[in-house]
């Protein structure tokens, strides 16, 4: 695949610095880094996740179907639980269905490369057949009862055991030296908390885990995987193994990528948009947007592949979710700078063809407009922090999306160390508490909105904390409708959860009405009292501005979608934005709009994803929209709607420009520039 290098005359860093390339053939002067196809080339990925019985598949037919789809990257089974090539490494077994003399992986790889299709080899190191366990029992996961975890005859290896740490590098070295793969992907990287049937596995009690955990924390392994120390321990264990594998891949196969579901040491961070019949509602319709944005925002130098899983849940691997859901996920991937990526179990000859038919339309779009989907960076000026509290985070994620406030996401605070990045944000939103680092950020001139019932650190002390109060079903009285104009038609918001009690304010914005009698109607609020306990604080803090909502408004919005909560969130955000909104529009709230940059091409892309076909657990084709006007805080002279294939009139002066999108189906991208 070395011949591909001439396709990437520029080498881009999504952190915002375009580095002029590299390639001697292109006349460059720097050749230190191998090309990164996963960042620099358009990717359309299909994963055919093979049961071992598929070792006899027709590789010509498969590659023809992949090429016709049209995909240009194939994620294909290589080794681990089952090798699809005649491996010669011990404790690694070719598929029992692989015909004698056949090298399925090698055959698929050669035929794919001949067609210009990249191949990522799939490994799963989390389980092995019984003979490995019999020979090396110390390498394996042990439950609380000391027994190994066996699933369909396979034994779970422990991330801290010898299989992952000593033997896997031998398996991978063979794979990497024998095959010119474009990358290796690892399924199930680390010790899962539950098996495929959903049965909890508990913390591993193997000798290696006992020794490592004891040495680090000075206590025995905990009883639950939710233990904070154990979770940190497991995450670090995965990172240690990832470091070894990354080094191996980059040394033995320069230019190949390391892909798995963790941030550390990977080249491509993997995610899945999937469903489960046991997952609690509400359904999360922004799954793909969230997955891609969260990792792109957290690790701007890496690619993010969000796999769209076709199946309903594990017991129904060959039955697909609704076709509009497949398309929505793929459009969301694109709108946030990720590639389309679709997974089927088996080959592309499916009994339920709905997922492939649905996904093909997005792949065709991508193939016809590759240039629009390479090197994208978020141009958003609001940063949402993703923490442990998923409900609070999702509430804010959805609110910002519905408000058409462009935002990016970070799972950490490393961006604080990059002054360029820290200054690029008009506002940082912390949905469930804030640490001292953010206090220092505010004092240096940053703007922060934080919420949640955990007391703020001293660095963010804008009110005196009286105490943390247990969950209460009370209300908040709205005092200042001038400052909270969205609440003009209500004096009350509801509280259902804990809160931090702060000392009273001179000029209250919201005050607590504690729980009072609610039945029978004759007794409703007969005992009601009003308090001076504040439900919102706004303050300047040295050079910065901060807003604190001392209760979980994001989590409540996620669960109940109260317009009162939305109005509060909206007004506080608007209060804090120093330059007003980056984007103003009359688009329906179910139209997701992202603003992305292509720095190398000196242009901005405004993506529209129409979510109006979603209702409860159902997905239908979205309702067509008309005449969506968008005003951007940007100067440009041209706007072109790519799906409509129409130039749009640009109006406005000063620092703002406006265009109107005449029609929106499922997706649109408007390219703006000069
Ligand atoms: Zn272990």
């Amino acid at each position: 695949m070395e011949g591909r290098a001439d396709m990437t005359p520029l080498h881009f860093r999504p952190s915002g610095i375009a580095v002029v390339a590299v390639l001697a053939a292109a006349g460059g002067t720097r050749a230190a880094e191998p090309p990164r196809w996963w960042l620099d080339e358009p990717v359309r990925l299909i994963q055919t996740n093979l049961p071992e019985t598929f070792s006899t598949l027709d590789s010509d037919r498969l590659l023809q179907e992949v090429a016709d789809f049209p995909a240009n990257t194939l994620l294909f089974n290589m080794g681990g639980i089952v090798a699809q090539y005649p491996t010669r490494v011990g404790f690694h077994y070719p598929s029992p269905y692989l015909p004698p003399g056949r090298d399925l992986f090698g055959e698929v790889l050669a035929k794919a490369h001949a067609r210009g299709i990249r191949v990522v080899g799939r490994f799963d190191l989390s389980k092995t057949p019984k003979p490995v366990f019999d020979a090396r029992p110390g390498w394996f996961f042990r439950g609380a009862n000391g027994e190994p975890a066996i699933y369909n005859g396979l034994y779970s290896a422990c991330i801290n055991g010898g299989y992952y740490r000593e033997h896997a590098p031998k398996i991978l070295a063979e794979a990497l030296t024998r095959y010119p793969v474009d990358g290796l992907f690892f399924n199930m990287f680390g010790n899962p908390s539950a098996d495929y049937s959903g049965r909890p596995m508990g913390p591993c009690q193997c000798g290696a885990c006992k020794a490592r955990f004891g040495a680090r924390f000075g206590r025995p392994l905990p009883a639950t995987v939710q233990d904070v120390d154990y979770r940190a321990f497991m995450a670090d264990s995965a990172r240690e193994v990832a470091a070894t594998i990354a080094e191996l891949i980059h040394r033995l196969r320069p230019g190949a990528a390391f892909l798995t579901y963790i941030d550390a040491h990977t080249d491509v961070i993997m995610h899945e948009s999937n469903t489960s019949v046991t997952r609690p509602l509400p359904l999360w319709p922004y799954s793909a947007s969230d997955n891609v944005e969260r990792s792109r925002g957290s690790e701007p130098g890496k690619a993010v592949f969000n796999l769209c899983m076709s199946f309903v849940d594990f017991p129904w691997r060959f039955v697909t979710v609704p076709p509009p859901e497949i398309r929505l996920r793929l459009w969301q991937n694109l709108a946030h700078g990720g590639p389309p990526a679709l997974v089927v179990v088996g080959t592309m000859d499916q009994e339920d063809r709905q997922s492939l038919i649905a996904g093909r339309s997005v792949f065709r779009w991508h193939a016809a407009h590759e240039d629009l989907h390479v090197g994208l960076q978020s141009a958003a000026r609001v940063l949402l922090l993703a923490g442990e509290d998923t409900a609070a985070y999702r509430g804010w994620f959805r609110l910002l999306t519905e408000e058409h406030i462009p935002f990016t996401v970070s799972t950490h605070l490393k961006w604080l160390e990059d002054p360029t990045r820290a200054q690029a944000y008009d506002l940082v939103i912390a949905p469930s508490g804030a640490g001292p680092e953010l206090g220092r950020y505010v004092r240096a001139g940053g703007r922060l909105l934080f919420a949640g019932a955990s007391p703020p650190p001293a660095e963010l002390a804008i009110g005196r904390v009286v105490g943390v109060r247990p969950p209460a079903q009370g209300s908040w009285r709205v005092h200042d409708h001038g400052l909270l104009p969205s609440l003009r038609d209500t004096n009350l918001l509801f509280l259902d959860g804990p809160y931090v009690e702060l000392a009273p304010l001179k000029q209250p914005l919201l005050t607590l009405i504690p729980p009072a009698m609610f039945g029978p109607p004759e007794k409703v609020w007969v005992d009601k009292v009003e308090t001076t306990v504040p439900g919102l604080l706004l303050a300047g803090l040295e050079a910065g501005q901060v807003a604190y909502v001392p209760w979980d408004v994001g989590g409540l919005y996620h669960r109940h979608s109260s317009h009162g909560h939305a109005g509060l969130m909206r007004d506080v955000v608007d209060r804090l934005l120093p330059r007003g909104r980056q984007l103003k529009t009359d688009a329906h709230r179910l139209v997701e709009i992202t603003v992305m940059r292509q720095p190398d091409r000196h242009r901005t892309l405004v993506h529209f994803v129409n979510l109006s076909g979603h209702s409860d657990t159902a997905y239908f084709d979205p309702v067509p929209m008309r005449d969506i006007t968008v005003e951007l805080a940007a100067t440009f002279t041209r706007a072109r709607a790519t799906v409509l294939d129409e130039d749009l009139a640009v109006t406005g002066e000063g620092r703002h420009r406006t265009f109107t999108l005449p029609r929106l189906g499922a997706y649109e991208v408007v390219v703006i520039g000069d």
Side-chain angles (χ1 to χ4, degrees), residues 384-631:
L384 177 64
L385 296 176
E388 293 279 305
D389 188 332
T390 302
Y393 164 71
R394 288 183 176 179
W396 281 98
F397 190 106
R398 183 157 67 82
L399 183 279
L400 292 171
T401 304
E402 291 165 353
E403 287 294 321
H404 308 114
I405 295 170
F407 67 100
T408 187
V409 177
S410 180
T411 58
H412 54 70
L413 298 175
K414 282 185 278 186
W415 52 272
L416 285 169
E417 297 155 18
D418 177 353
T420 313
R421 235 187 125 191
Q423 285 165 15
Y425 300 126
D426 288 345
L427 173 63
V428 174
I429 299 176
S432 48
E437 306 92 334
L438 287 172
R440 292 191 284 277
Y441 168 72
V442 172
R443 288 168 191 272
R447 292 178 177 232
L448 171 71
L449 193 172
F450 71 109
S454 50
E459 290 80 355
L460 280 168
I462 54 170
R464 185 174 60 82
V465 174
V466 180
V468 179
R469 303 303 178 211
Q473 294 185 314
S475 302
W476 297 107
R477 175 165 299 287
V478 181
H479 289 271
D480 192 336
H481 289 92
L483 198 138
L484 302 170
S486 295
L487 305 182
R488 61 185 166 276
D489 297 329
T490 181
N491 301 329
L492 299 172
L493 306 176
F494 80 88
L495 167 69
D496 184 15
Y499 61 97
V500 173
E501 181 178 339
L502 298 154
L505 303 178
K506 283 201 184 81
Q507 290 180 305
L509 306 166
L510 297 179
T511 52
L512 181 72
I513 302 171
M517 291 194 291
F518 50 80
E522 290 82 350
K523 290 292 184 185
V524 171
W525 269 22
V526 170
D527 61 341
K528 185 262 295 180
V529 296
E530 301 277 344
T531 73
T532 54
V533 176
L536 170 64
L537 280 79
L538 296 170
L541 196 60
E542 297 183 15
Q545 294 281 324
V546 61
Y548 178 33
V549 181
W551 45 287
D552 182 17
V553 64
L556 286 170
Y557 188 65
H558 171 64
R559 285 186 287 272
H560 308 294
S561 305
S562 165
H563 279 213
H565 293 149
L568 173 68
M569 296 157 86
R570 173 193 309 133
D571 288 347
V572 175
V573 168
D574 281 331
R575 178 90 188 166
L576 286 174
L577 289 175
R579 294 179 279 177
R581 292 204 183 185
Q582 180 181 10
L583 186 153
K584 293 179 185 170
T585 180
D586 56 2
H588 190 277
R589 293 189 192 280
L590 293 181
V591 176
E592 181 181 2
I593 304 178
T594 65
V595 184
M596 306 292 285
R597 267 195 302 262
Q598 273 183 314
D600 56 309
R601 290 154 176 85
H602 307 290
R603 65 191 185 189
T604 299
L605 308 179
V606 184
H607 296 259
F608 299 76
V609 180
N610 189 340
L611 190 83
S612 64
H614 171 244
S615 172
D616 282 344
T617 60
Y619 287 88
F620 306 102
D621 286 334
V623 182
M625 307 274 183
R626 296 191 69 86
D627 299 327
I628 298 172
T629 297
V630 173
E631 181 194 285

Side-chain angles (χ1 to χ4, degrees), residues 140-142 158-161 191 204-210 230 233-234:
F140 287 80
F141 180 96
R142 299 286 176 161
C158 173
I159 189 80
N160 287 318
N191 291 4
C204 178
Q205 305 283 343
C206 79
C209 283
K210 278 181 181 163
Y230 186 74
F233 172 64
M234 274 293 114

Side-chain angles (χ1 to χ4, degrees), residues 206-240:
C206 79
C209 283
K210 278 181 181 163
R212 284 169 176 269
F213 189 87
R216 179 165 164 188
F217 295 102
R219 66 182 177 103
L221 283 154
T224 167
V225 295
Q226 300 307 327
D227 181 276
V228 173
D229 289 345
Y230 186 74
R231 288 170 61 185
F233 172 64
M234 274 293 114
D236 288 343
S237 298
R239 280 193 279 267
E240 288 164 19

Side-chain angles (χ1 to χ4, degrees), residues 239-406:
R239 280 193 279 267
E240 288 164 19
V241 176
T244 306
I245 291 178
E247 188 280 327
L248 196 66
I249 293 173
H250 297 148
R251 176 162 49 85
L252 296 180
R253 191 59 65 183
F258 172 31
L259 307 83
T260 192
Y261 299 97
I262 65 175
D263 289 0
H265 307 292
T266 44
D267 301 299
V268 181
I269 303 169
M270 304 298 288
H271 284 281
E272 290 183 10
S273 283
N274 55 29
T275 51
S276 164
V277 294
T278 55
R279 191 168 298 161
L281 297 173
L283 191 146
W284 182 227
Y286 295 104
S287 157
S289 296
D290 180 8
N291 288 346
V292 178
E293 192 61 54
R294 185 153 30 107
S295 288
R296 290 283 291 153
S298 301
E299 301 292 337
K302 299 188 177 193
V304 181
F305 293 178
N306 179 52
L307 301 171
C308 173
M309 310 306 283
S310 296
F311 56 79
V312 172
D313 201 346
F314 293 137
W316 308 278
R317 292 276 202 177
F318 297 105
V319 180
T320 76
V321 298
E325 185 173 7
I326 299 282
R327 283 192 292 269
L328 180 70
R329 291 168 176 173
L330 297 175
W331 292 130
Q332 286 182 349
N333 279 3
L334 266 49
H336 291 268
L342 185 59
V343 181
V344 289
V345 175
T347 65
M348 296 182 77
D349 298 314
Q350 292 285 310
E351 297 203 67
D352 183 343
R353 294 163 292 284
Q354 298 178 87
S355 165
L356 286 170
I357 292 168
R360 176 176 295 147
S361 59
V362 182
F363 277 63
R364 281 182 176 159
W365 158 270
H366 186 280
H369 302 88
E370 289 185 332
D371 189 52
L372 296 176
H373 301 289
V374 180
L376 271 66
Q377 304 170 10
S378 174
R381 301 204 311 237
V382 170
L383 177 69
L384 177 64
L385 296 176
E388 293 279 305
D389 188 332
T390 302
Y393 164 71
R394 288 183 176 179
W396 281 98
F397 190 106
R398 183 157 67 82
L399 183 279
L400 292 171
T401 304
E402 291 165 353
E403 287 294 321
H404 308 114
I405 295 170

